[in-house]
């Protein structure tokens, strides 16, 4: 068992790391870099602008409740939410995502996250966002934080238009672990020397791969696991 470190203690730990090893600092997005859920911000703005029918809004709302109660899986949640973007031109989707970030997300980027990223950057560590969110949630936040490498769930684009489908498997659970491995291989970094900041036990597959898993704003199950493991 251990006592959770304060931010200042963690920043000091970073400064005291042995020099020489290349490292990656992986960051989850929702409730790790920003307060709340970026998909909720997208859906809220879609509803505010009248881009969702009452039936679509009701379905999405029910899906979030069902997912929160573990009655449906993430694949269905993201798949049905993505379907509502079908037929949207890519420039329109990107413009919409930027406006949502500016209005509903950027004000809720954690100051502590900015400090953590700045410290890792000063130490020469690679900064990577790895999130189950789509590119329209992840990329606007990444640009504002100066994060160049983003692993996320990709919505399919054909002929400059969103099809409403997800490309391959979502970047969720084991998908995040696979993404982490790919990035580490490409950058030539040992995951044993790397960090992963997240709030959710769903991210355990990647947390188990890195040498420094860090629970941030942890949900109950992850908080208990972190205390038990000394994270």
């Amino acid at each position: 068992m251990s006592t959770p470190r304060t931010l200042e203690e963690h920043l000091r730990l970073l400064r005291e790391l042995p020099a020489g090893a290349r490292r990656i600092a992986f960051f989850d997005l929702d409730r790790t870099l920003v307060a709340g859920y970026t998909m909720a911000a997208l859906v809220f703005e879609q509803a505010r602008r009248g881009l969702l029918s009452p039936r679509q809004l009701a379905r999405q709302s029910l899906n979030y409740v069902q997912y929160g109660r573990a009655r449906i899986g993430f694949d269905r949640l993201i798949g049905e939410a993505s379907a509502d973007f079908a037929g949207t031109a890519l420039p329109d989707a990107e413009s919409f995502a930027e406006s949502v970030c500016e209005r509903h997300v950027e004000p809720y980027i954690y100051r502590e996250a900015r400090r953590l990223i700045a410290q890792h950057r000063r130490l020469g560590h690679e900064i990577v966002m790895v999130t189950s969110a789509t590119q329209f949630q992840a990329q606007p936040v990444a640009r504002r934080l100066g994060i160049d490498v983003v692993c996320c769930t990709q919505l399919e684009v054909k002929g400059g238009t969103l099809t409403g489908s997800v490309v391959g498997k979502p970047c969720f659970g084991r998908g995040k672990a696979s993404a982490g491995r790919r990035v580490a291989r490409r950058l030539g970094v040992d995951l044993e020397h790397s960090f992963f900041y997240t709030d959710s036990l769903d991210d355990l597959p990647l947390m188990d791969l890195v040498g420094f898993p860090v629970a941030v704003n942890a949900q109950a199950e992850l908080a208990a696991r972190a205390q038990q493991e000394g994270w």
Side-chain angles (χ1 to χ4, degrees):
M1 306 288 279
S2 68
T3 302
R5 288 189 299 271
T6 66
L7 175 62
E8 296 303 328
E9 289 169 341
H10 186 75
L11 293 174
R12 185 169 62 249
L13 178 151
L14 294 180
R15 291 192 295 268
E16 294 172 353
L17 288 170
R22 296 190 62 202
R23 304 178 191 276
I24 299 173
F26 292 100
F27 287 86
D28 177 41
L29 174 58
D30 295 328
R31 298 189 73 252
T32 300
L33 292 176
V34 302
Y37 295 94
T38 51
M39 181 57 81
L42 282 179
V43 172
F44 173 82
E45 190 64 13
Q46 283 178 299
R48 192 183 74 83
R49 297 189 189 187
L51 301 176
L52 293 177
S53 69
R55 182 176 180 179
Q56 287 172 317
L57 182 58
R59 174 174 48 77
Q60 289 218 31
S61 300
L62 178 60
N63 279 352
Y64 280 106
V65 172
Q66 298 279 64
Y67 178 71
R69 295 176 178 174
R71 292 179 179 172
I72 64 172
F74 183 79
D75 284 21
R76 176 175 167 184
L77 177 73
I78 193 68
E80 294 196 3
S82 301
D84 291 334
F85 285 93
T88 305
L90 180 58
D92 292 341
E94 291 173 337
S95 175
F96 176 75
E98 280 294 326
S99 67
V100 169
C101 187
E102 181 178 356
R103 179 189 292 260
H104 301 297
V105 179
E106 187 173 8
Y108 299 99
I109 295 175
Y110 289 117
R111 290 190 298 271
E112 296 86 348
R114 293 184 185 275
R115 290 187 65 191
L116 272 173
I117 290 170
Q119 181 72 293
H120 279 288
R121 190 169 281 129
R122 279 192 293 269
L123 293 168
H125 303 166
E126 302 284 350
I127 313 297
V128 177
M129 182 190 296
V130 56
T131 173
S132 58
T134 71
Q135 68 264 45
F136 301 105
Q137 300 155 255
Q139 291 289 357
V141 176
R143 283 191 286 273
R144 284 158 173 80
L145 294 174
I147 300 175
D148 295 325
V149 182
V150 177
C151 305
C152 64
T153 299
Q154 291 287 328
L155 300 193
E156 185 179 55
V157 179
K158 286 187 177 179
T161 302
L162 274 70
T163 67
S165 298
V166 173
V167 178
K169 287 288 187 180
C171 187
F172 177 80
R174 295 187 183 279
K176 282 193 181 183
S178 297
R181 288 192 190 96
R182 287 195 299 271
V183 170
R185 282 196 300 269
R186 179 163 58 83
L187 297 177
V189 177
D190 189 338
L191 287 174
E192 278 297 314
H193 298 151
S194 298
F195 290 77
F196 179 33
Y197 298 89
T198 184
D199 71 297
S200 175
L201 196 65
D202 291 330
D203 292 338
L204 197 58
L206 181 54
M207 297 189 86
D208 283 340
L209 292 179
V210 300
F212 300 91
V214 185
V216 177
N217 302 320
Q219 296 173 1
E221 295 114 333
L222 180 60
R225 180 66 174 265
Q227 188 175 28
Q228 180 182 17
E229 300 288 344
W231 296 342

